[in-house]
Amino acid sequence: MSDPIKIRASIKGSEGEVRVLMPHPMETGLRKDPSGRIPPAHFIIQVSLSLNGRTVIEGALGTSVSTNPLFAFQLKDVKAGDRVGVSWLDNTGQKGSAESVFSAS
Amino acid sequence: MERRHFLRAFGSAAALGPLLGSGLLRPGPVLAVDFNRAPFEAKTAADVLRLTGTAAAEATRDIFLKVPEVAENGASVPIEISSNIPGTTRLAVIIDKNPLPLALQFNFGPEAVPRLQTRLRMAESSRLRVVATAGGKHYTVFRDVKVTVGGCGE
């Protein structure tokens, strides 16, 4: 449905920084559009981040996260070649996922 | 009376349906994340704190919270949070005056730094709270943020 997730995984010292952009409307179900209709709630409720296939960060979101959620996270002891995965699930059951690899800086 | 009860029960079941369904579709293995959605449906910060069991959170200086004092665009308020409390496993953000105050709740495994940056919506000027959980105890810090143009109508 939506554009693919963008991931930027970089290494700073021994820490890895992961920046993630997840294209998603994040409709609250509370706002009126210009025609006066209220679009139904449609937003990401779960996000998870994995390192080499193991879940390391997992979160639940509400409707206060902005459209096209952008997140930055930090992981310890990361080396070049480590794989980072991101996945989301929204309140309608739709899912998205993507993977990237840490590159040496 | 009977009919009203039925409608009420049916109404709430219908509203919860997609969420229950999605719970069965959770992606991959899970940390100890609380997938109870009730705190996300709470309409006041007090209810969020009660439902997450964090009402007794202790004020601390060991949570870093960076958010603009004045946010010009409530649709996208940049926020950075991190915890210096050893053993922090969870960070949550609550925006008191948003219609649904609980913005997010993240759990961090031992491989992760308890830190995140994101962008949040703020409907109006409000207190913004961060609650950190470490070793079963809860800690909190807050900041009052002025919003020039509210961010829930766009």
Side-chain angles (χ1 to χ4, degrees):
Chain A
M1 49 143 257
S2 47
D3 292 334
I5 300 174
K6 288 193 181 109
I7 305 178
R8 204 164 70 205
S10 54
I11 300 178
K12 284 173 184 164
S14 66
E15 278 185 358
E17 190 190 51
V18 184
R19 299 182 76 86
V20 186
L21 175 73
M22 295 173 281
H24 198 283
M26 296 299 284
E27 277 295 348
T28 60
L30 301 170
R31 69 158 196 138
K32 272 196 184 128
D33 70 11
S35 63
R37 279 187 292 263
I38 299 178
H42 183 205
F43 61 101
I44 294 175
I45 59 171
Q46 286 173 29
V47 172
S48 79
L49 194 119
S50 68
L51 181 65
N52 297 324
R54 258 171 63 93
T55 301
V56 290
I57 294 177
E58 195 154 48
L61 309 189
T63 51
S64 299
V65 177
S66 302
T67 306
N68 301 329
L70 183 69
F71 282 97
F73 300 107
Q74 263 175 302
L75 302 178
K76 299 171 189 167
D77 301 323
V78 166
K79 43 187 196 319
D82 282 349
R83 289 177 297 115
V84 59
V86 174
S87 64
W88 57 258
L89 169 72
D90 75 20
N91 66 320
T92 69
Q94 289 174 318
K95 296 173 181 184
S97 66
E99 221 181 56
S100 184
V101 175
F102 278 101
S103 52
S105 48
Chain B
M1 196 63 176
E2 292 271 309
R3 183 170 168 270
R4 194 178 302 160
H5 276 140
F6 168 76
L7 285 175
R8 196 180 297 153
F10 180 77
S12 62
L16 283 171
L19 294 176
L20 290 175
S22 67
L24 299 172
L25 294 169
R26 67 176 55 158
V30 290
L31 294 168
V33 164
D34 186 357
F35 282 112
N36 176 9
R37 293 297 298 180
F40 284 95
E41 282 149 30
K43 293 187 169 61
T44 65
D47 281 347
V48 171
L49 293 168
R50 184 173 52 79
L51 289 166
T52 52
T54 58
E58 197 179 293
T60 179
R61 290 179 167 199
D62 293 325
I63 297 172
F64 173 80
L65 164 58
K66 187 174 159 194
V67 64
E69 221 169 282
V70 179
E72 279 173 15
N73 177 9
S76 180
V77 181
I79 175 173
E80 180 180 345
I81 58 178
S82 64
S83 171
N84 294 321
I85 302 163
T88 299
T89 51
R90 173 180 287 186
L91 290 172
V93 177
I94 300 163
I95 301 168
D96 284 30
K97 291 201 178 160
N98 273 7
L100 300 170
L102 181 56
L104 56 85
Q105 209 174 24
F106 270 88
N107 275 24
F108 298 87
E111 306 89 342
V113 181
R115 173 179 183 276
L116 71 87
Q117 274 172 273
T118 189
R119 291 177 185 168
L120 301 177
R121 293 182 175 126
M122 292 187 70
E124 58 183 297
S125 298
S126 171
R127 177 156 293 186
L128 185 151
R129 305 168 197 252
V130 177
V131 178
T133 300
K137 289 188 72 182
H138 309 288
Y139 304 87
T140 188
V141 69
F142 68 82
R143 201 71 35 87
D144 292 317
V145 180
K146 274 207 176 73
V147 176
T148 316
V149 180
C152 287
E154 36 189 297

